[in-house]
Amino acid sequence: MSSQTKSDYESLLKRLQDKLGNTSRKAVSRLEVPTPQIIWIGQRTIFRNFMEFPKALRREPEKLLLYLNKELASAGYIAGERVIFLGRKEPSSFGALIDRYIKDYVICPVCGSPDTRTERNRKLGFLLCDACGARSSIKGSYA
């Protein structure tokens, strides 16, 4: 292989990598999820910016709270813009649980779009994608 064709190949490869890198960054940044602000007061854990999450995810606050209560095995209640959980919970667990909720109940499994809504048909829950029109079943009643 001559040095000219090798440099042409490398420049084309770099252009392709740049294009692929840009599209993946755009897809990730479309859904901007805030960072959970967690504080402890005595034996209670306070999720200070809870109400920002249902707004960003376009879901009902009660459903997200129900999911967190089940996963944390704790009772929690909404008090204004925040949620108060009984017992001390690790701040890192909230970020991981929200990421799992987004993966299971917000992101479309067909096209990966966050532009979804939920629908209940009898006892079954479905995730409807506004971008591609897919209709996927979801487990649980948290969406």
Side-chain angles (χ1 to χ4, degrees):
M1 187 185 265
S2 70
S3 64
Q4 178 63 33
T5 56
K6 187 175 182 180
S7 67
D8 288 345
Y9 172 77
E10 288 175 352
S11 67
L12 287 172
L13 186 61
K14 180 160 178 30
R15 274 184 43 206
L16 180 63
Q17 287 172 338
D18 289 342
K19 286 187 185 243
L20 287 175
N22 289 340
T23 57
S24 67
R25 270 185 242 121
K26 283 180 190 169
V28 169
S29 66
R30 271 200 20 81
L31 181 64
E32 294 186 17
V33 181
T35 306
Q37 296 174 3
I38 309 298
I39 58 171
W40 290 327
I41 296 179
Q43 287 299 312
R44 297 198 188 314
T45 304
I46 299 178
F47 190 162
R48 293 177 53 196
N49 61 338
F50 173 78
M51 282 302 192
E52 293 175 19
F53 290 87
K55 289 175 190 162
L57 303 176
R58 299 185 322 169
R59 295 294 183 265
E60 295 175 28
E62 294 78 19
K63 298 286 186 177
L64 181 57
L65 178 60
L66 190 67
Y67 178 79
L68 290 174
N69 282 340
K70 178 189 160 279
E71 293 296 320
L72 292 169
S74 175
Y77 56 93
I78 297 175
E81 289 286 308
R82 59 190 185 169
V83 169
I84 301 171
F85 291 97
L86 302 177
R88 284 183 166 233
K89 307 296 175 202
E90 283 301 313
S92 60
S93 64
F94 286 91
L97 286 175
I98 298 246
D99 288 344
R100 192 170 355 142
Y101 181 84
I102 290 170
K103 183 179 157 287
D104 291 343
Y105 300 105
V106 178
I107 299 293
C108 174
V110 176
C111 70
S113 171
D115 299 326
T116 58
R117 54 193 163 83
T118 58
E119 175 184 273
R120 289 206 72 70
N121 189 355
R122 296 190 185 114
K123 291 188 177 191
L124 301 174
F126 293 97
L127 190 66
L128 304 172
C129 182
D130 294 334
C132 71
R135 186 172 192 228
S136 310
S137 64
I138 49 178
K139 59 181 186 277
S141 58
Y142 307 114

